[in-house]
Amino acid sequence: MKHHSSSVIQLPPSFRCFVLIMALLSVMSVVAQGPNEANYDEARVPQYVLPDVLTCADGTVVTSVRAWERHRRPELMAMLASLEYGFTPKGMKNVRMSHQLVKENREALDGLATMQQVQLTFSRGGVTREALMLVFIPNVRKGRVPVIVGYNFRGNHSVMENEEILYSPYFQQLPNREDPVLKRGNQSSRWAVRDIVKRGYALVTMCYQDIFPDVADGGPRSVTALCDAESEPGTAWQALGAWAWGSSRMADWVVKQRWANKHQLVIMGHSRQGKAALWAGAQDKRFAVVISNDSGCGGAALSKREFGERVGQITRSFPHWFCPNFSRYGGREQELPFDQHELLALIAPRHLYVASAVEDRWADPHGEYLAAYHASPVFALYGLKGLSSPDMPAVNAPIMNHVGYHIREGIHDVTDYDWACYLDFCDKAFGR
Ligand code: GTR
């Protein structure tokens, strides 16, 4: 026995050292669970107090649509702009946008759709920026059709394997034509184009990188360079604000098309684009349905739950997304004078859909659900049904009230299942 135990102790020195380091590291990770680390334990969600969406900063409680629209809504818009997403400069109104049909195929998708590629050129004071939209219009139409607008991540060529699709301007600049990111259709699983068109919806997509290159020093190459800064530096817009602005420019073009129903405009965004879609939907009331797919921190998820990705992490990893002021709340989420349910409430009385995925814990599915739930009193003010229970629905069991929600199985992604839910929800919203 003695021999045995001593043989256990007689480990090679290098291994003993390894065990000691591992033990130290595990102790340190418990003790130093820093304020900016991801928490995946529901038991460690702090006791938090959410600001009441219907109570104004001066303590007045909103009880009418009029008071919401006149006082509380503008107050929340200003708070989110100054502390999270930045102000869109008023000077952007003077940016000129021209559009040019670059390519058209009236028999795309085996004749199901007309595929157009339309270049948008933004100019102001001698500065220009270009973006390229990829558009699918159903060929079978009874009157004007509803339109889904949404950014793609990896360029228009990634949406579908099709030689006719031109590279988005951002990808045209890549020096190496063999680069795997130039592979056609490399994100086609995220774009249920045929299903969308078959259900009678048009789709308008463009690469978010054309609007603001998604790197820390992307600003000077982005549309934000079209306009001088107007606000104090802490409240200046960056990528999320610019992406939201760009969605509205897609909408500007859409509403002028004779095939488009301008009252049935949908915006859908995934992940960082889910965040941008919510902010676009808050600012631009032409979006009749706003869909957030796995948008997480700074999107649909409540910051004060401190679950999954946190404010400190996101603002450090992506210093170019939010306005600089937001980083002040890294590790100080409880001091935020607002939370993301108030962003979701700004979509009312239009339709809102929030979606999560079980394995996407970084985005805090529970926090995404709760934000939609806590936004619901504003929908109720308009006599509309939001989410009525604080308990999440079962997996793959969508709720489709005026506010919709689902959590599906699987990872952080956009799947055919997500699209099927979105199309059902839009059909319901538009009485189709
Ligand atoms: C992650 C980021 C998330 C989400 C995601 C995405 O790296 O931490 O908030 O935005 O990227 O956009 O795919």
Side-chain angles (χ1 to χ4, degrees):
M1 184 68 186
K2 201 173 180 194
H3 174 77
H4 179 74
S5 65
S6 70
S7 76
V8 171
I9 294 165
Q10 295 303 313
L11 293 167
S14 59
F15 187 73
R16 262 183 285 155
C17 192
F18 172 76
V19 171
L20 193 70
I21 289 171
M22 290 313 283
L24 258 172
L25 280 178
S26 72
V27 170
M28 275 163 63
S29 79
V30 175
V31 176
Q33 197 72 256
N36 291 318
E37 271 164 59
N39 166 39
Y40 290 122
D41 182 358
E42 197 67 41
R44 287 189 38 234
V45 168
Q47 289 276 334
Y48 61 91
V49 181
L50 283 187
D52 176 29
V53 68
L54 289 175
T55 303
C56 299
D58 68 1
T60 322
V61 177
V62 168
T63 53
S64 68
V65 164
R66 191 183 150 88
W68 163 256
E69 290 182 355
R70 286 236 175 151
H71 304 296
R72 182 62 172 153
R73 192 179 191 283
E75 177 177 288
L76 285 172
M77 285 294 296
M79 189 142 60
L80 288 161
S82 61
L83 297 178
E84 191 169 19
Y85 304 108
F87 285 101
T88 306
K90 293 202 174 61
M92 289 303 284
K93 292 217 163 59
N94 304 324
V95 169
R96 275 200 34 183
M97 178 174 98
S98 62
H99 51 89
Q100 195 197 344
L101 178 63
V102 186
K103 218 169 169 187
E104 183 178 56
N105 175 358
R106 293 181 183 215
E107 294 297 320
L109 305 178
D110 307 314
L112 279 179
T114 295
M115 181 169 88
Q116 296 186 338
Q117 300 184 68
V118 180
Q119 181 172 308
L120 298 179
T121 306
F122 307 108
S123 48
R124 183 172 182 263
V127 183
T128 61
R129 294 286 177 269
E130 279 172 12
L132 187 64
M133 293 189 296
L134 174 64
V135 183
F136 296 91
I137 308 152
N139 281 340
V140 180
R141 301 192 289 271
K142 282 192 233 107
R144 292 172 181 253
V145 297
V147 187
I148 301 174
V149 166
Y151 283 111
N152 60 72
F153 280 68
R154 298 210 194 140
N156 292 346
H157 66 280
S158 71
V159 170
M160 180 183 285
E161 202 182 325
N162 181 330
E163 292 290 327
E164 289 171 46
I165 299 177
L166 302 165
Y167 287 114
S168 300
Y170 176 84
F171 287 88
Q172 287 167 18
Q173 300 155 15
L174 289 185
N176 179 6
R177 304 313 282 174
E178 301 305 312
D179 196 318
V181 296
L182 295 181
K183 194 170 160 350
R184 294 183 173 281
N186 69 67
Q187 290 214 310
S188 58
S189 67
R190 287 189 174 181
W191 294 95
V193 183
R194 268 174 197 273
D195 297 344
I196 292 168
V197 166
K198 279 189 187 157
R199 301 258 316 237
Y201 288 73
L203 173 68
V204 180
T205 182
M206 119 182 146
C207 181
Y208 80 128
Q209 304 265 20
D210 290 350
I211 297 296
F212 194 116
D214 195 1
V215 282
D217 61 356
R221 282 173 286 146
S222 79
V223 297
T224 64
L226 290 163
C227 194
D228 296 333
E230 289 169 7
S231 48
E232 46 158 310
T235 67
W237 71 332
Q238 298 206 84
L240 285 167
W243 293 325
W245 179 87
S247 313
S248 290
R249 305 295 72 79
M250 288 194 263
D252 290 346
W253 178 82
V254 168
V255 298
K256 289 204 205 103
Q257 306 308 304
R258 56 179 168 66
W259 46 263
N261 186 336
K262 64 177 182 188
H263 303 294
Q264 298 187 344
L265 204 51
V266 180
I267 181 167
M268 192 297 260
H270 167 62
S271 204
R272 66 198 70 183
Q273 288 315 318
K275 309 179 210 294
L278 290 167
W279 183 229
Q283 295 178 90
D284 190 336
K285 294 182 181 172
R286 293 173 299 175
F287 293 116
V289 179
V290 178
I291 303 171
S292 142
N293 189 88
D294 304 356
S295 62
C297 181
L302 293 175
S303 303
K304 291 180 192 285
R305 274 176 42 82
E306 302 182 7
F307 190 101
E309 185 175 28
R310 297 189 48 194
V311 173
Q313 294 166 315
I314 201 166
T315 53
R316 249 182 298 133
S317 311
F318 307 103
H320 58 293
W321 282 5
F322 300 89
C323 70
N325 277 346
F326 195 47
S327 61
R328 297 205 312 237
Y329 295 94
R332 292 167 51 194
E333 285 87 344
Q334 305 313 323
E335 292 170 37
L336 275 167
F338 62 88
D339 211 331
Q340 299 305 109
H341 62 304
E342 294 174 307
L343 171 68
L344 302 187
L346 297 170
I347 308 302
R350 292 162 293 139
H351 283 81
L352 166 71
Y353 199 105
V354 173
S356 314
V358 174
E359 291 170 46
D360 186 20
R361 300 199 320 143
W362 179 244
D364 186 15
H366 192 190
E368 293 180 319
Y369 177 81
L370 286 174
Y373 168 72
H374 288 293
S376 296
V378 177
F379 289 85
L381 205 58
Y382 287 92
L384 304 168
K385 191 170 175 191
L387 301 179
S388 35
S389 167
D391 301 322
M392 291 178 77
V395 173
N396 297 347
I399 302 174
M400 298 208 186
N401 298 334
H402 203 86
V403 175
Y405 178 85
H406 75 243
I407 176 160
R408 64 157 166 77
E409 60 204 5
I411 59 164
H412 185 73
D413 199 0
V414 190
T415 66
D416 288 351
Y417 176 85
D418 293 320
W419 278 112
C421 293
Y422 301 151
L423 292 165
D424 287 349
F425 184 71
C426 292
D427 276 357
K428 204 173 162 215
F430 300 146
R432 287 164 60 87

